[in-house]
């Protein structure tokens, strides 16, 4: 089933007649989601016929409705996070810098060691990086803001990291991502358990990380660009160029200028 919309003041029946002729002239048995500009028919107006897939339209409405429900559900956690999330209250994930490479006083990358630690992780397969990271962050916010076995606000740690996976040629991102939150030091041994099964507590081993900062939005294009950029600066990138990389975010997802890092993990 499809909705047919005809722009510029043409009534539905007239538009449908033109649309049917257009499909016939172009050999189209199923209109799908397409736009046709009709020039061969004599009409009082220049008509632009737009055909919208009804199923896609309903799915979009469902997505908007679900997102509205999530925002309503998140109102209290967001208020609590705003009250408690002062700059002095943010705990940085601890690491030791073990090296760096500079050019003309500009740091091209750093080499760091991160110790073994517990992380709260959300695995998602949403088909879209931005949508998946937003949903994962909101799930973690609920956990941070009291939806855990202690009922306490756990405190914010930075960065929030997203594990992304690429195809073999590293030309596109795969649909699965993992959004993760480093548990604050006081909860590393006594872990507040999540109230929902979506969040898993994982112990990540100690790792050597090569990292480079970048600003701005994070999407598939910018991530692939940063992966290639860091690979160019490394003296021997091949052992680090697997199919898994990490995006570390230090600023609120709604902030206009994001502060991010790309991480390459050195495998044992």
């Amino acid at each position: 089933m499809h909705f047919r919309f005809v722009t510029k003041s043409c009534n539905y029946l007239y538009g449908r007649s033109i649309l049917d002729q257009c499909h016939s002239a172009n050999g189209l048995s199923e209109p799908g989601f397409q736009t046709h500009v009709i020039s061969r028919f004599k009409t009082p107006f220049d008509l632009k016929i737009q055909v919208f897939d009804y199923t896609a339209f309903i799915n979009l409405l469902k997505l908007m409705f679900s997102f509205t429900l999530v925002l309503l559900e998140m109102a209290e956690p967001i208020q609590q996070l705003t009250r408690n999330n002062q700059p002095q209250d943010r705990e940085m994930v601890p690491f030791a810098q073990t090296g760096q490479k500079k050019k003309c006083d500009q740091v091209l990358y750093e080499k760091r060691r991160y110790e073994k630690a517990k992380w709260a992780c959300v695995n998602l397969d949403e088909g879209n990086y931005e949508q998946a990271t937003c949903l994962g962050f909101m799930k973690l916010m609920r956990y941070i803001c009291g939806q855990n076995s202690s009922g306490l606000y756990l405190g914010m740690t930075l960065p929030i990291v997203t594990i992304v996976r690429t195809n073999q040629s590293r030309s596109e991102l795969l649909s699965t991502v993992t959004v993760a939150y480093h548990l604050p030091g006081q909860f590393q041994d006594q872990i507040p358990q999540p109230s929902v099964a979506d969040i898993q507590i994982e112990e990540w081993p100690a790792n050597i990380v090569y990292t480079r900062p970048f600003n701005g939005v994070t999407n598939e294009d910018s991530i692939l660009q940063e992966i290639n950029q860091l690979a160019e600066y490394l003296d021997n990138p091949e052992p680090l160029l697997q199919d898994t990389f990490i995006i570390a975010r230090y600023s609120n997802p709604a902030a206009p200028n994001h502060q991010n890092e790309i991480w390459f993990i050195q495998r044992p």
Side-chain angles (χ1 to χ4, degrees), residues 169-180:
S169 62
R170 296 184 297 279
S171 60
E172 63 179 271
L173 297 183
L174 303 184
S175 60
T176 56
V177 302
T178 301
V179 185

Side-chain angles (χ1 to χ4, degrees), residues 214-233:
F214 68 98
N215 295 329
V217 298
T218 53
N219 53 38
E220 180 168 355
D221 290 339
S222 66
I223 291 170
L224 293 174
Q225 179 180 340
E226 293 301 326
I227 289 173
N228 292 329
Q229 184 68 78
L230 180 52
E232 288 182 10
Y233 290 140

Side-chain angles (χ1 to χ4, degrees), residues 118-140 159-166 173-182 197-204 218 223 243-249 261 263 265 267:
K118 308 288 197 318
W119 294 73
C121 305
V122 182
N123 296 307
L124 302 115
D125 188 354
E126 296 296 315
N128 177 281
Y129 171 82
E130 292 93 331
Q131 182 179 336
T133 52
C134 180
L135 181 59
F137 181 74
M138 287 192 289
K139 288 177 180 289
L140 289 174
I160 297 291
V161 304
T162 303
I163 301 174
V164 297
R165 299 159 182 90
T166 68
L173 297 183
L174 303 184
S175 60
T176 56
V177 302
T178 301
V179 185
Y181 156 78
H182 183 277
D198 290 351
I199 299 176
Q200 304 293 324
I201 303 299
E202 298 181 6
E203 183 175 83
W204 291 7
T218 53
I223 291 170
D243 60 355
T244 302
F245 305 92
I246 291 180
I247 307 301
R249 176 173 289 175
E261 290 176 341
W263 289 6
I265 307 297
R267 306 300 179 187

Side-chain angles (χ1 to χ4, degrees), residues 23-148:
H23 292 155
S24 176
N26 288 279
L28 297 175
S29 58
E30 182 67 23
F33 191 93
Q34 304 177 51
T35 299
H36 303 285
V37 178
I38 311 304
S39 59
R40 69 185 68 185
F41 303 105
K42 301 298 183 181
T43 68
F45 307 95
D46 291 331
L47 295 179
K48 186 176 183 180
I49 311 297
Q50 292 183 318
V51 186
F52 292 88
D53 187 281
Y54 176 78
T55 303
F57 180 69
I58 293 300
N59 287 339
L60 177 61
L61 290 179
K62 288 180 179 178
L63 178 61
M64 293 172 64
F65 180 70
S66 299
F67 187 67
T68 301
L69 291 180
V70 169
L71 289 178
L72 292 173
E73 184 181 352
M74 288 300 298
E76 185 176 348
I78 288 173
Q79 290 176 357
Q80 187 172 1
L81 186 63
T82 302
R83 287 194 300 268
N84 292 281
N85 191 27
Q86 301 302 317
Q88 64 271 17
D89 298 329
R90 300 170 193 165
E91 181 179 321
M92 303 301 292
V93 178
F95 67 87
Q97 181 180 321
T98 60
Q100 64 177 204
K101 182 178 181 179
K102 285 186 174 182
K103 183 178 181 180
C104 300
D105 294 329
Q106 178 187 3
V107 176
L108 301 181
Y109 67 81
E110 286 186 359
K111 182 180 179 181
R112 303 172 183 167
R113 177 179 173 84
Y114 287 86
E115 298 300 333
K116 178 175 66 175
K118 308 288 197 318
W119 294 73
C121 305
V122 182
N123 296 307
L124 302 115
D125 188 354
E126 296 296 315
N128 177 281
Y129 171 82
E130 292 93 331
Q131 182 179 336
T133 52
C134 180
L135 181 59
F137 181 74
M138 287 192 289
K139 288 177 180 289
L140 289 174
M141 277 182 60
R142 289 197 288 267
Y143 170 68
I144 294 167
C145 292
Q147 291 189 14
N148 55 69

Side-chain angles (χ1 to χ4, degrees), residues 12-26:
Y12 176 79
L13 292 176
Y14 184 61
R16 181 172 182 176
S17 174
I18 296 295
L19 185 64
D20 292 340
Q21 293 179 63
C22 177
H23 292 155
S24 176
N26 288 279

